[in-house]
Amino acid sequence: MTFVIGAACVDVMDRACVEECPVDCIYTGGRMAYIHPAECVDCGACEPVCPVEAIYLDADIPADQREFVDENARFFAEPLPGREAPLGSPGSAAKAGEIGVDTPFVTEYGV
């Protein structure tokens, strides 16, 4: 299991979770943040600091937000718009910097 960020983060990105994460595995896109599934150590430090309660264990995300489990993984596994290669596993969100783009699903979410 790993933690994922759901719909409530879209267009909010408070970043309290980013600051709280002890392994720096929460990356920021254009409209939301994403937790790297391989870098997350399942400590849960991010969940209680999220002011919009957007962070869930992947198995506990509400049924109407299941797509966000795939989108959190897709953010790292597939090339994002404007990039030729997947982000992969940079090992640190701080090292990677703000990514600034989202998966196509998140880009179109709610618009």
Side-chain angles (χ1 to χ4, degrees):
M1 277 201 236
T2 189
F3 283 86
V4 296
I5 298 177
C9 184
V10 176
D11 294 331
V12 174
M13 286 205 308
D14 172 75
R15 291 183 172 81
C17 60
V18 173
E19 295 170 18
E20 192 69 26
C21 180
V23 294
D24 197 25
C25 72
I26 304 175
Y27 295 72
T28 53
R31 296 184 69 197
M32 70 174 278
Y34 301 81
I35 297 175
H36 196 296
E39 294 175 6
C40 178
V41 295
D42 303 330
C43 71
C46 57
E47 185 181 24
V49 300
C50 180
V52 293
E53 299 180 357
I55 302 174
Y56 304 89
L57 276 171
D58 59 358
D60 295 337
I61 197 164
D64 64 339
Q65 295 185 54
R66 292 290 311 157
E67 181 67 28
F68 283 89
V69 174
D70 294 335
E71 293 308 307
N72 272 258
R74 188 171 288 124
F75 184 78
F76 303 98
E78 296 179 10
L80 294 167
R83 294 177 171 254
E84 293 185 20
L87 187 59
S89 186
S92 160
K95 181 172 118 181
E98 296 233 0
I99 306 305
V101 295
D102 296 288
T103 64
F105 173 82
V106 172
T107 298
E108 296 298 319
Y109 187 79
V111 291

XYZ file of all heavy atoms in Angstrom:
818
model
N 0.827 -1.184 0.000
C 0.000 0.000 0.000
C 0.871 1.247 0.000
O 1.986 1.237 0.479
C -0.878 0.017 1.250
C -2.117 -0.802 1.116
S -3.335 -0.275 2.285
C -3.618 -1.812 3.100
N 0.298 2.295 -0.539
C 0.959 3.589 -0.524
C -0.106 4.665 -0.382
O -1.284 4.402 -0.545
C 1.795 3.810 -1.806
O 2.586 4.968 -1.658
C 0.931 3.930 -3.032
N 0.316 5.850 -0.092
C -0.611 6.961 -0.003
C -0.755 7.602 -1.374
O 0.174 7.581 -2.188
C -0.125 7.995 1.024
C -0.376 7.547 2.433
C 0.522 6.742 3.099
C -1.545 7.918 3.088
C 0.287 6.312 4.392
C -1.797 7.497 4.377
C -0.883 6.694 5.032
N -1.943 8.137 -1.647
C -2.221 8.833 -2.903
C -2.967 10.123 -2.586
O -3.579 10.258 -1.527
C -3.053 7.977 -3.893
C -2.294 6.745 -4.330
C -4.390 7.601 -3.299
N -2.907 11.037 -3.519
C -3.595 12.312 -3.372
C -4.801 12.308 -4.296
O -4.695 11.945 -5.466
C -2.650 13.480 -3.673
C -1.492 13.457 -2.663
C -3.398 14.808 -3.632
C -0.436 14.497 -2.870
N -5.940 12.691 -3.751
C -7.195 12.651 -4.492
C -7.674 14.003 -4.983
O -6.948 15.010 -4.959
N -8.931 14.022 -5.375
C -9.562 15.155 -6.055
C -9.522 16.461 -5.274
O -9.432 17.533 -5.869
C -11.004 14.805 -6.406
N -9.600 16.405 -3.964
C -9.657 17.642 -3.177
C -8.404 18.499 -3.330
O -8.434 19.699 -3.040
C -9.900 17.323 -1.705
N -7.318 17.926 -3.797
C -6.074 18.678 -3.977
C -6.082 19.508 -5.268
O -5.354 20.487 -5.374
C -4.875 17.739 -3.973
S -3.268 18.569 -4.078
N -6.904 19.114 -6.235
C -6.904 19.804 -7.523
C -7.214 21.285 -7.308
O -8.208 21.645 -6.700
C -7.904 19.159 -8.507
C -7.969 19.958 -9.808
C -7.524 17.711 -8.789
N -6.321 22.114 -7.771
C -6.396 23.578 -7.688
C -6.282 24.132 -6.270
O -6.579 25.296 -6.043
C -7.668 24.110 -8.355
C -7.668 23.866 -9.859
O -6.571 23.812 -10.451
O -8.760 23.702 -10.435
N -5.810 23.322 -5.326
C -5.606 23.805 -3.952
C -4.113 23.817 -3.628
O -3.542 24.849 -3.333
C -6.371 22.948 -2.916
C -6.012 23.380 -1.511
C -7.860 23.065 -3.147
N -3.466 22.676 -3.699
C -2.032 22.519 -3.435
C -1.518 23.371 -2.287
O -0.676 24.250 -2.461
C -1.225 22.768 -4.699
C -1.343 21.633 -5.671
S 0.025 21.447 -6.815
C 0.212 23.038 -7.523
N -1.990 23.106 -1.111
C -1.557 23.804 0.104
C -0.070 23.584 0.391
O 0.586 24.438 0.938
C -2.417 23.299 1.274
C -1.928 23.798 2.600
O -2.159 24.981 2.892
O -1.308 22.999 3.337
N 0.446 22.428 0.046
C 1.849 22.030 0.190
C 2.277 21.698 1.626
O 3.453 21.480 1.886
C 2.794 23.050 -0.425
C 2.720 23.106 -1.939
C 3.735 24.091 -2.518
N 3.806 24.030 -3.949
C 2.961 24.623 -4.790
N 1.942 25.301 -4.331
N 3.133 24.536 -6.089
N 1.351 21.669 2.570
C 1.704 21.255 3.927
C 2.233 19.824 3.902
O 3.158 19.476 4.636
C 0.506 21.362 4.866
N 1.677 18.995 3.041
C 2.123 17.605 2.933
C 3.560 17.526 2.437
O 4.355 16.709 2.907
C 1.197 16.806 2.024
S 1.080 17.445 0.325
N 3.901 18.382 1.482
C 5.262 18.418 0.929
C 6.262 18.729 2.042
O 7.304 18.086 2.158
C 5.362 19.450 -0.215
C 6.799 19.614 -0.685
C 4.450 19.068 -1.371
N 5.931 19.708 2.848
C 6.817 20.109 3.942
C 6.929 19.038 5.017
O 7.967 18.901 5.652
C 6.314 21.413 4.548
C 6.395 22.574 3.578
C 5.687 23.817 4.073
O 5.411 23.921 5.287
O 5.398 24.691 3.237
N 5.885 18.258 5.216
C 5.846 17.243 6.278
C 6.500 15.926 5.874
O 6.965 15.173 6.724
C 4.390 16.996 6.692
C 4.219 16.203 7.950
C 4.667 16.947 9.201
O 4.650 18.195 9.219
O 5.022 16.269 10.178
N 6.553 15.626 4.600
C 7.044 14.324 4.123
C 8.523 14.133 4.460
O 9.378 14.871 3.968
C 6.840 14.210 2.616
S 7.421 12.626 1.956
N 8.843 13.106 5.266
C 10.239 12.906 5.661
C 11.131 12.336 4.561
O 12.349 12.402 4.666
C 10.138 11.935 6.838
C 8.902 11.156 6.563
C 7.954 12.141 5.915
N 10.528 11.785 3.499
C 11.343 11.217 2.417
C 11.243 12.014 1.121
O 11.767 11.593 0.100
C 10.998 9.721 2.168
C 11.375 8.879 3.369
C 9.543 9.526 1.796
N 10.570 13.176 1.171
C 10.502 14.091 0.035
C 9.968 13.412 -1.227
O 10.557 13.525 -2.299
C 11.877 14.708 -0.206
C 11.822 15.941 -1.081
O 10.775 16.609 -1.124
O 12.849 16.244 -1.728
N 8.830 12.693 -1.079
C 8.284 11.960 -2.226
C 7.007 12.569 -2.784
O 6.316 11.940 -3.578
C 8.046 10.499 -1.844
S 6.660 10.226 -0.738
N 6.691 13.812 -2.393
C 5.486 14.459 -2.893
C 5.900 15.559 -3.878
O 6.529 16.542 -3.510
C 4.622 15.017 -1.747
C 4.274 13.890 -0.764
C 3.365 15.668 -2.311
C 3.525 14.341 0.466
N 5.549 15.338 -5.131
C 5.948 16.206 -6.234
C 4.776 17.100 -6.638
O 3.623 16.690 -6.537
C 6.379 15.349 -7.429
C 7.607 14.525 -7.155
C 7.568 13.414 -6.311
C 8.826 14.847 -7.731
C 8.702 12.653 -6.051
C 9.968 14.092 -7.489
C 9.895 12.995 -6.647
O 11.027 12.250 -6.396
N 5.054 18.290 -7.117
C 3.990 19.214 -7.484
C 3.872 19.374 -8.986
O 4.846 19.659 -9.682
C 4.198 20.592 -6.836
O 5.502 21.072 -7.145
C 4.039 20.510 -5.332
N 2.644 19.170 -9.449
C 2.329 19.387 -10.849
C 1.788 20.797 -11.018
O 2.095 21.685 -10.220
N 0.960 20.983 -12.022
C 0.379 22.289 -12.260
C -0.865 22.552 -11.434
O -1.063 23.658 -10.950
N -1.711 21.532 -11.267
C -2.974 21.702 -10.542
C -3.042 20.922 -9.246
O -3.937 21.166 -8.441
C -4.147 21.246 -11.424
C -4.332 22.076 -12.681
C -5.558 21.646 -13.441
N -6.773 21.990 -12.698
C -7.959 21.455 -12.956
N -8.110 20.563 -13.915
N -9.017 21.819 -12.252
N -2.154 19.963 -9.036
C -2.188 19.169 -7.809
C -0.822 18.570 -7.519
O 0.093 18.659 -8.332
C -3.259 18.071 -7.873
C -2.967 16.930 -8.829
S -4.189 15.594 -8.738
C -3.600 14.666 -7.333
N -0.713 17.961 -6.353
C 0.517 17.269 -5.963
C 0.320 15.762 -6.147
O -0.811 15.269 -6.163
C 0.856 17.595 -4.515
N 1.425 15.041 -6.268
C 1.405 13.598 -6.513
C 2.415 12.915 -5.595
O 3.532 13.408 -5.442
C 1.813 13.294 -7.962
C 0.935 13.930 -9.008
C 1.111 15.265 -9.376
C -0.065 13.202 -9.640
C 0.319 15.857 -10.342
C -0.867 13.790 -10.615
C -0.670 15.118 -10.956
O -1.453 15.695 -11.920
N 2.036 11.772 -5.050
C 2.933 10.993 -4.206
C 3.553 9.885 -5.047
O 2.849 9.095 -5.671
C 2.186 10.393 -2.996
C 1.643 11.519 -2.114
C 3.112 9.461 -2.207
C 0.775 11.053 -0.960
N 4.878 9.831 -5.057
C 5.570 8.800 -5.831
C 5.352 7.451 -5.144
O 5.776 7.262 -4.001
C 7.068 9.108 -5.916
C 7.745 8.324 -6.976
N 7.844 6.954 -6.947
C 8.351 8.723 -8.118
C 8.487 6.540 -8.010
N 8.797 7.605 -8.756
N 4.702 6.488 -5.814
C 4.362 5.227 -5.161
C 5.566 4.382 -4.735
O 5.481 3.661 -3.743
C 3.512 4.492 -6.190
C 3.816 5.141 -7.497
C 4.228 6.549 -7.197
N 6.680 4.488 -5.431
C 7.859 3.698 -5.058
C 8.715 4.395 -4.001
O 9.449 3.740 -3.274
C 8.708 3.393 -6.298
N 8.626 5.701 -3.917
C 9.433 6.447 -2.953
C 8.729 6.609 -1.602
O 9.371 6.828 -0.585
C 9.796 7.821 -3.524
C 10.709 7.738 -4.734
C 10.983 9.091 -5.372
O 10.555 10.125 -4.820
O 11.630 9.111 -6.431
N 7.402 6.512 -1.591
C 6.622 6.649 -0.359
C 6.917 5.466 0.564
O 6.923 4.316 0.145
C 5.128 6.692 -0.686
S 4.049 6.796 0.744
N 7.178 5.766 1.838
C 7.472 4.712 2.820
C 6.268 4.425 3.716
O 6.392 3.750 4.728
C 8.721 5.055 3.673
C 9.967 5.104 2.802
C 8.524 6.351 4.445
N 5.117 4.932 3.345
C 3.859 4.672 4.050
C 3.875 5.114 5.509
O 3.221 4.506 6.356
C 3.470 3.193 3.952
C 3.347 2.699 2.529
O 2.998 3.507 1.656
O 3.620 1.511 2.285
N 4.575 6.177 5.808
C 4.647 6.637 7.204
C 3.366 7.343 7.638
O 3.053 7.402 8.824
C 5.852 7.544 7.416
S 5.710 9.172 6.631
N 2.639 7.917 6.693
C 1.385 8.594 6.997
C 1.523 10.012 7.517
O 0.532 10.634 7.888
N 2.709 10.562 7.540
C 2.908 11.917 8.067
C 2.148 12.960 7.256
O 1.711 13.976 7.796
C 4.393 12.256 8.102
N 1.962 12.734 5.995
C 1.298 13.690 5.117
C -0.204 13.780 5.354
O -0.798 14.853 5.221
C 1.558 13.337 3.662
S 1.028 11.654 3.208
N -0.810 12.677 5.679
C -2.277 12.612 5.755
C -2.891 13.596 6.752
O -3.793 14.353 6.385
C -2.713 11.180 6.061
C -4.205 10.996 6.035
C -4.607 9.574 6.361
O -3.839 8.846 7.029
O -5.714 9.200 5.957
N -2.452 13.644 8.001
C -3.130 14.538 8.955
C -2.880 16.032 8.731
O -3.651 16.848 9.220
C -2.584 14.093 10.311
C -1.292 13.431 10.027
C -1.437 12.830 8.658
N -1.844 16.393 7.990
C -1.572 17.821 7.776
C -2.297 18.399 6.562
O -2.299 19.609 6.374
C -0.053 18.129 7.686
C 0.650 17.713 8.964
C 0.566 17.488 6.462
N -2.914 17.559 5.765
C -3.618 18.036 4.572
C -4.898 18.752 4.999
O -5.811 18.143 5.551
C -3.960 16.874 3.643
S -4.831 17.408 2.152
N -4.996 20.060 4.729
C -6.164 20.821 5.183
C -7.456 20.482 4.450
O -8.543 20.793 4.928
C -5.758 22.276 4.938
C -4.782 22.197 3.825
C -4.041 20.902 4.022
N -7.357 19.835 3.283
C -8.555 19.480 2.527
C -8.830 17.979 2.535
O -9.691 17.499 1.815
C -8.482 20.023 1.073
C -8.519 21.543 1.065
C -7.269 19.488 0.336
N -8.071 17.245 3.341
C -8.239 15.791 3.492
C -8.226 15.076 2.139
O -9.079 14.248 1.844
C -9.511 15.479 4.275
C -9.467 16.062 5.678
C -10.721 15.782 6.493
O -11.685 15.166 5.980
O -10.727 16.181 7.665
N -7.222 15.391 1.333
C -7.102 14.816 -0.003
C -6.219 13.581 -0.047
O -6.093 12.959 -1.096
C -6.543 15.867 -0.963
N -5.583 13.196 1.066
C -4.615 12.105 1.060
C -5.218 10.855 1.688
O -5.790 10.906 2.776
C -3.322 12.527 1.780
C -2.740 13.763 1.080
C -2.323 11.372 1.804
C -1.542 14.362 1.770
N -5.071 9.749 0.982
C -5.636 8.464 1.404
C -4.626 7.346 1.191
O -3.774 7.436 0.303
C -6.846 8.094 0.537
C -7.938 9.104 0.487
C -7.930 10.114 -0.469
C -9.007 9.043 1.369
C -8.950 11.049 -0.542
C -10.040 9.970 1.309
C -10.006 10.966 0.350
O -11.017 11.883 0.294
N -4.771 6.267 1.961
C -4.119 5.024 1.562
C -4.789 4.603 0.263
O -6.005 4.766 0.109
C -4.307 3.939 2.616
C -3.318 3.952 3.763
C -3.742 2.965 4.844
C -1.914 3.616 3.267
N -4.038 4.063 -0.675
C -4.627 3.738 -1.970
C -5.838 2.813 -1.852
O -6.798 2.952 -2.594
C -3.591 3.192 -2.942
C -2.878 1.941 -2.470
O -3.134 1.456 -1.352
O -2.038 1.440 -3.240
N -5.827 1.912 -0.895
C -6.951 0.988 -0.718
C -8.175 1.665 -0.099
O -9.278 1.128 -0.164
C -6.525 -0.187 0.145
N -7.999 2.841 0.498
C -9.086 3.524 1.200
C -9.658 4.730 0.462
O -10.553 5.391 0.974
C -8.598 3.993 2.581
C -8.243 2.836 3.489
O -8.744 1.722 3.265
O -7.451 3.060 4.422
N -9.149 5.014 -0.718
C -9.657 6.184 -1.441
C -11.123 5.947 -1.813
O -11.497 4.818 -2.148
C -8.773 6.503 -2.674
C -9.031 7.917 -3.175
C -8.954 5.468 -3.763
C -7.971 8.446 -4.119
N -11.969 6.955 -1.725
C -13.378 6.770 -2.085
C -13.530 6.235 -3.512
O -12.735 6.574 -4.405
C -13.968 8.175 -1.955
C -13.074 8.866 -0.978
C -11.701 8.304 -1.237
N -14.544 5.434 -3.710
C -14.764 4.783 -5.006
C -14.830 5.783 -6.160
O -14.321 5.499 -7.252
C -16.037 3.943 -4.968
N -15.404 6.958 -5.927
C -15.522 7.932 -7.010
C -14.206 8.649 -7.327
O -14.149 9.468 -8.232
C -16.624 8.947 -6.710
C -16.342 9.810 -5.482
O -15.524 9.423 -4.621
O -16.967 10.887 -5.382
N -13.151 8.312 -6.587
C -11.834 8.901 -6.836
C -10.774 7.852 -7.174
O -9.587 8.151 -7.208
C -11.372 9.694 -5.606
C -12.230 10.887 -5.295
C -11.660 11.679 -4.151
O -10.497 12.081 -4.157
N -12.482 11.905 -3.132
N -11.178 6.625 -7.452
C -10.221 5.541 -7.743
C -9.264 5.900 -8.871
O -8.118 5.470 -8.876
C -10.949 4.235 -8.086
C -11.698 3.590 -6.954
C -10.873 2.993 -5.857
N -9.814 2.131 -6.316
C -8.728 1.855 -5.597
N -8.573 2.363 -4.405
N -7.787 1.072 -6.071
N -9.701 6.684 -9.824
C -8.834 7.071 -10.947
C -7.580 7.796 -10.460
O -6.531 7.723 -11.086
C -9.608 7.948 -11.934
C -8.798 8.372 -13.140
C -8.429 7.227 -14.083
O -9.170 6.230 -14.153
O -7.381 7.334 -14.741
N -7.674 8.455 -9.317
C -6.521 9.188 -8.798
C -5.390 8.258 -8.343
O -4.233 8.669 -8.310
C -6.939 10.157 -7.687
C -7.591 11.393 -8.222
C -8.965 11.437 -8.425
C -6.836 12.511 -8.561
C -9.573 12.571 -8.944
C -7.439 13.650 -9.077
C -8.809 13.676 -9.269
N -5.702 7.022 -8.017
C -4.652 6.044 -7.691
C -3.796 5.835 -8.937
O -2.567 5.905 -8.883
C -5.250 4.708 -7.193
C -4.154 3.670 -6.992
C -6.040 4.924 -5.903
N -4.449 5.609 -10.067
C -3.728 5.428 -11.331
C -2.996 6.697 -11.748
O -1.868 6.643 -12.243
C -4.683 5.009 -12.445
C -5.286 3.640 -12.212
O -4.670 2.814 -11.505
O -6.397 3.388 -12.731
N -3.625 7.854 -11.544
C -3.013 9.116 -11.955
C -1.758 9.444 -11.143
O -0.802 9.983 -11.680
C -4.019 10.266 -11.877
C -5.138 10.150 -12.883
C -4.659 9.949 -14.310
O -3.834 10.740 -14.801
O -5.128 8.996 -14.953
N -1.759 9.118 -9.842
C -0.555 9.336 -9.041
C 0.597 8.514 -9.602
O 1.718 9.003 -9.706
C -0.808 8.987 -7.566
C -1.340 10.152 -6.769
O -0.615 10.806 -6.031
N -2.623 10.427 -6.916
N 0.340 7.282 -10.015
C 1.388 6.436 -10.600
C 1.744 6.899 -12.011
O 2.925 6.963 -12.383
C 0.942 4.978 -10.616
N 0.734 7.251 -12.802
C 0.950 7.683 -14.189
C 1.815 8.942 -14.264
O 2.612 9.108 -15.193
C -0.413 7.932 -14.842
C -0.342 8.188 -16.323
C -1.732 8.207 -16.978
N -2.239 6.831 -17.017
C -3.402 6.438 -16.476
N -4.185 7.304 -15.859
N -3.779 5.184 -16.574
N 1.704 9.825 -13.290
C 2.499 11.053 -13.254
C 3.994 10.755 -13.356
O 4.753 11.513 -13.939
C 2.193 11.802 -11.955
C 2.869 13.139 -11.830
C 2.377 14.255 -12.493
C 3.985 13.301 -11.023
C 2.992 15.495 -12.361
C 4.605 14.532 -10.876
C 4.102 15.636 -11.562
N 4.410 9.637 -12.815
C 5.824 9.259 -12.814
C 6.184 8.261 -13.912
O 7.321 8.229 -14.370
C 6.193 8.659 -11.447
C 5.902 9.601 -10.322
C 4.744 9.502 -9.580
C 6.780 10.637 -10.030
C 4.456 10.392 -8.559
C 6.508 11.540 -9.016
C 5.340 11.416 -8.274
N 5.208 7.462 -14.354
C 5.495 6.351 -15.254
C 5.361 6.679 -16.736
O 5.920 5.965 -17.567
C 4.581 5.173 -14.919
N 4.621 7.726 -17.071
C 4.408 8.069 -18.475
C 4.893 9.491 -18.741
O 4.870 10.329 -17.830
C 2.912 7.950 -18.811
C 2.395 6.535 -18.683
C 0.907 6.414 -18.986
O 0.297 7.397 -19.474
O 0.367 5.331 -18.727
N 5.309 9.775 -19.961
C 5.729 11.149 -20.265
C 4.585 12.140 -20.034
O 3.456 11.895 -20.445
C 6.111 11.097 -21.747
C 6.418 9.660 -22.012
C 5.490 8.881 -21.108
N 4.878 13.212 -19.373
C 3.894 14.263 -19.134
C 3.877 15.206 -20.333
O 4.844 15.244 -21.115
C 4.263 15.029 -17.857
C 4.171 14.216 -16.572
C 4.855 14.953 -15.422
C 2.723 13.901 -16.236
N 2.808 15.975 -20.498
C 2.769 16.917 -21.620
C 4.012 17.811 -21.660
O 4.452 18.338 -20.636
C 1.506 17.749 -21.319
C 0.641 16.808 -20.521
C 1.601 16.017 -19.677
N 4.594 17.907 -22.847
C 5.777 18.729 -23.036
C 7.083 18.041 -22.689
O 8.148 18.642 -22.793
N 7.022 16.775 -22.275
C 8.233 16.024 -21.925
C 8.353 14.807 -22.829
O 7.355 14.209 -23.196
C 8.182 15.569 -20.465
C 8.227 16.725 -19.492
C 8.093 16.216 -18.056
N 8.359 17.289 -17.130
C 9.484 17.392 -16.420
N 10.418 16.497 -16.510
N 9.644 18.418 -15.603
N 9.573 14.447 -23.144
C 9.791 13.294 -24.001
C 9.905 11.988 -23.232
O 9.654 10.926 -23.778
C 11.047 13.506 -24.838
C 10.890 14.619 -25.855
C 12.089 14.752 -26.761
O 12.867 13.786 -26.882
O 12.238 15.828 -27.350
N 10.290 12.067 -21.967
C 10.496 10.851 -21.173
C 9.711 10.946 -19.867
O 9.422 12.050 -19.389
C 11.986 10.678 -20.873
N 9.388 9.807 -19.286
C 8.717 9.822 -17.982
C 9.609 10.451 -16.914
O 10.835 10.412 -17.011
C 8.465 8.351 -17.670
C 8.682 7.618 -18.933
C 9.586 8.449 -19.786
N 8.984 10.988 -15.892
C 9.716 11.552 -14.762
C 10.501 10.468 -14.043
O 11.602 10.689 -13.555
C 8.734 12.248 -13.812
C 9.299 13.028 -12.656
C 10.212 14.144 -13.140
C 8.164 13.608 -11.818
N 9.933 9.275 -13.974
C 10.608 8.155 -13.319
C 10.701 8.358 -11.827
O 9.770 8.817 -11.190
N 11.853 8.031 -11.273
C 12.076 8.157 -9.836
C 13.277 9.049 -9.579
O 14.400 8.574 -9.411
C 12.291 6.769 -9.215
O 12.373 6.876 -7.815
N 13.049 10.363 -9.519
C 14.157 11.292 -9.297
C 14.804 11.141 -7.922
O 15.915 11.582 -7.715
C 13.515 12.670 -9.434
C 12.233 12.451 -10.134
C 11.810 11.059 -9.794
N 14.080 10.532 -6.974
C 14.638 10.317 -5.645
C 14.389 11.439 -4.664
O 14.642 11.296 -3.480
N 13.870 12.554 -5.143
C 13.627 13.695 -4.260
C 12.825 14.748 -5.008
O 13.225 15.188 -6.089
C 14.950 14.292 -3.799
O 14.797 15.603 -3.333
N 11.712 15.155 -4.414
C 10.910 16.208 -5.035
C 11.679 17.517 -5.084
O 11.579 18.267 -6.052
C 9.594 16.370 -4.284
N 12.455 17.795 -4.055
C 13.241 19.031 -4.033
C 14.258 19.039 -5.170
O 14.478 20.061 -5.823
C 13.931 19.209 -2.685
N 14.871 17.889 -5.418
C 15.848 17.768 -6.492
C 15.185 17.962 -7.855
O 15.734 18.614 -8.738
C 16.528 16.401 -6.413
C 17.590 16.157 -7.460
C 18.316 14.858 -7.170
C 18.125 13.884 -8.298
N 18.759 12.602 -8.086
N 13.977 17.422 -8.011
C 13.264 17.524 -9.288
C 12.694 18.919 -9.505
O 12.539 19.353 -10.642
C 12.138 16.493 -9.338
N 12.364 19.621 -8.421
C 11.749 20.941 -8.533
C 10.279 20.837 -8.909
O 9.729 19.749 -9.036
N 9.653 21.975 -9.058
C 8.243 21.989 -9.460
C 8.146 21.450 -10.875
O 8.844 21.924 -11.775
C 7.679 23.402 -9.384
C 7.659 23.929 -7.982
C 6.298 24.441 -7.578
O 5.350 24.396 -8.374
O 6.207 24.883 -6.430
N 7.283 20.472 -11.067
C 7.132 19.875 -12.386
C 6.263 20.778 -13.265
O 6.526 20.964 -14.431
C 6.538 18.457 -12.282
C 7.382 17.596 -11.320
C 6.422 17.806 -13.655
C 8.858 17.499 -11.636
N 5.204 21.330 -12.686
C 4.412 22.344 -13.365
C 3.383 21.864 -14.365
O 2.661 22.675 -14.934
N 3.324 20.577 -14.636
C 2.301 20.020 -15.527
C 1.672 18.814 -14.839
O 2.225 18.275 -13.880
C 2.867 19.613 -16.907
C 3.366 20.819 -17.669
C 3.955 18.572 -16.779
N 0.525 18.410 -15.361
C -0.211 17.285 -14.790
C -0.453 16.223 -15.848
O -0.222 16.458 -17.042
C -1.568 17.774 -14.264
C -1.411 18.758 -13.131
O -1.028 18.336 -12.032
O -1.669 19.960 -13.345
N -0.988 15.101 -15.393
C -1.431 14.086 -16.331
C -2.620 14.655 -17.102
O -3.302 15.567 -16.614
C -1.864 12.798 -15.591
O -2.998 13.089 -14.774
C -0.728 12.214 -14.759
N -2.894 14.169 -18.299
C -4.039 14.680 -19.054
C -5.358 14.592 -18.274
O -6.183 15.508 -18.345
C -4.058 13.801 -20.309
C -2.605 13.470 -20.518
C -2.067 13.260 -19.115
N -5.552 13.526 -17.513
C -6.775 13.380 -16.710
C -6.924 14.542 -15.730
O -7.995 15.149 -15.624
C -6.759 12.046 -15.954
C -7.891 11.888 -14.975
C -9.136 11.474 -15.400
C -7.702 12.159 -13.620
C -10.189 11.334 -14.492
C -8.743 12.019 -12.717
C -9.995 11.609 -13.160
N -5.873 14.867 -15.019
C -5.938 15.950 -14.030
C -6.050 17.301 -14.719
O -6.780 18.183 -14.263
C -4.733 15.895 -13.059
C -4.693 17.120 -12.161
C -4.804 14.619 -12.219
N -5.377 17.476 -15.834
C -5.472 18.729 -16.585
C -6.929 19.026 -16.950
O -7.370 20.166 -16.861
C -4.602 18.664 -17.858
O -3.243 18.491 -17.467
C -4.740 19.917 -18.697
N -7.672 17.997 -17.333
C -9.054 18.175 -17.747
C -10.066 18.008 -16.617
O -11.250 18.268 -16.802
C -9.387 17.166 -18.846
C -8.581 17.366 -20.119
C -8.845 18.721 -20.765
O -10.014 19.147 -20.798
O -7.876 19.356 -21.213
N -9.606 17.606 -15.433
C -10.519 17.309 -14.323
C -11.342 18.535 -13.918
O -10.795 19.588 -13.612
C -9.732 16.798 -13.118
C -10.608 16.323 -11.990
C -11.194 15.073 -12.050
C -10.872 17.125 -10.890
C -12.021 14.616 -11.025
C -11.694 16.676 -9.867
C -12.255 15.429 -9.938
O -13.074 14.995 -8.929
N -12.651 18.381 -13.958
C -13.548 19.423 -13.497
C -13.676 20.648 -14.385
O -14.300 21.622 -13.985
N -13.084 20.611 -15.567
C -13.212 21.794 -16.441
C -14.265 21.575 -17.501
O -14.711 20.545 -17.767
C -11.867 22.192 -17.117
C -10.904 22.710 -16.100
C -11.299 21.082 -17.933
